[in-house]
Amino acid sequence: MRIELRGVAKRFGKVEALRGVDVEIPLGRRVALVGPNGSGKSTLIRGLLGLIRCEGSIQLDGRRPYEDRIEIARKLAYVPQVAPALGASVAEVVELVGVTRDLQPGRVAEVSARLELDLAAIAARPFRNLSGGMKQKLLLAIAFAVRPSLLVMDEPTASLDYRARERFFELCEELEPSVTVIFCSHRGDEFVRLSEVVIALEDGRVAYNGPVDSYTAAAVEAVAS
Ligand SMILES: Nc1ncnc2c1ncn2[C@@H]1O[C@H](COP(=O)(O)OP(=O)(O)OP(=O)(O)O)[C@@H](O)[C@H]1O
Ligand SMILES: [Mg+2]
């Protein structure tokens, strides 16, 4: 999926969470969205997915995510920073995804197993009672299972144990080249491994948008000086 943002702004009362963001992301690009706490990363992601309405223009393959969300929802997958407190059981959540996204039976269980999550063992448990890492594994498994055109992940490995993190990296590396991936991260090792491009936000503005190597070189210099 191809993404174009022009003059994107978002205000929450007195807080200007995004101020004039211009970004173009070609099909299949792997993008790390970085920046300090409160710099606007999650807000930008939520705007991209049509979960909130922003000023300016946001286009995903020429469609507007907020206004046209019904048409594009099936092409997107999103792993939020904080998992929703769903009262439904794991089996119900997985079944709903299977029906709405037309998945082969067992597809989510297959990807869950790759992340070392045994879906059968937790099927009857309410989603909200799972541990933080288990929720993150299940949401990641669903996101990969639905084979999206745009995969958006907000701090995807924050709660994962070491082995699951490695498995997650493998899943990312196996994605079809046409899948556009945007993920927020505070971890240098993660974006060096997974992204081609870094977009750094500072105070709601784009402070850097370019190759990952020049970003990390500049960061190393800043620390050294
Ligand atoms: N629903 C909301 N209502 C009010 N203010 C909000 C809301 N969502 C975000 N903000 C504010 O917008 C700013 C940007 O927040 P955002 O969550 O996008 O930051 P972030 O870069 O994702 O930070 P973090 O690294 O901590 O996840 C912050 O000042 C935040 O308090
Ligand atoms: Mg955030």
Side-chain angles (χ1 to χ4, degrees):
M1 191 170 254
R2 197 181 160 280
I3 298 167
E4 197 179 302
L5 308 182
R6 290 269 169 267
V8 174
K10 181 69 190 178
R11 180 185 272 283
F12 296 105
K14 285 187 184 152
V15 177
E16 286 185 78
L18 297 173
R19 330 169 181 228
V21 172
D22 294 310
V23 166
E24 274 180 40
I25 300 173
L27 179 108
R29 183 61 51 87
R30 311 290 150 106
V31 179
L33 192 54
V34 308
N37 295 132
S39 55
K41 303 179 299 292
S42 295
T43 305
L44 187 64
I45 276 182
R46 293 171 63 222
L48 264 181
L49 294 164
L51 300 172
I52 53 171
R53 190 206 287 270
C54 295
E55 307 289 316
S57 148
I58 304 180
Q59 300 215 319
L60 308 183
D61 279 348
R63 287 186 187 270
R64 299 164 304 166
Y66 188 81
E67 290 79 1
D68 307 332
R69 55 191 177 282
I70 293 165
E71 289 90 337
I72 56 173
R74 287 176 60 90
K75 297 186 176 168
L76 310 179
Y78 173 45
V79 179
Q81 186 168 15
V82 179
L86 304 173
S89 71
V90 168
E92 286 165 340
V93 172
V94 172
E95 192 188 336
L96 183 66
V97 174
V99 170
T100 52
R101 303 293 283 254
D102 211 9
L103 298 185
Q104 283 172 332
R107 171 90 186 121
V108 176
E110 214 174 274
V111 188
S112 298
R114 296 275 314 268
L115 291 166
E116 306 199 323
L117 180 69
D118 181 352
L119 207 56
I122 57 166
R125 293 176 59 181
F127 176 83
R128 64 166 174 239
N129 291 356
L130 300 179
S131 76
M134 289 161 102
K135 285 182 204 165
Q136 194 151 37
K137 286 180 182 180
L138 180 55
L139 293 177
L140 285 168
I142 290 171
F144 282 90
V146 301
R147 297 199 167 94
S149 307
L150 171 61
L151 173 57
V152 180
M153 302 179 283
D154 202 343
E155 309 279 351
T157 67
S159 308
L160 297 186
D161 57 50
Y162 175 79
R163 281 162 58 114
R165 249 166 67 81
E166 284 301 312
R167 296 297 191 86
F168 164 75
F169 289 151
E170 289 167 21
L171 286 170
C172 289
E173 283 153 7
E174 289 166 23
L175 285 167
E176 294 288 323
S178 64
V179 181
T180 306
V181 180
I182 302 178
F183 66 98
C184 291
S185 176
H186 289 295
R187 309 181 59 138
D189 59 331
E190 192 164 292
F191 59 76
V192 165
R193 180 141 173 204
L194 295 181
S195 68
E196 304 157 312
V197 159
V198 169
I199 297 176
L201 292 183
E202 258 168 46
D203 213 8
R205 289 196 178 88
V206 176
Y208 177 89
N209 179 359
V212 66
D213 4 328
S214 347
Y215 180 76
T216 43
V220 169
E221 231 164 74
V223 171
S225 64

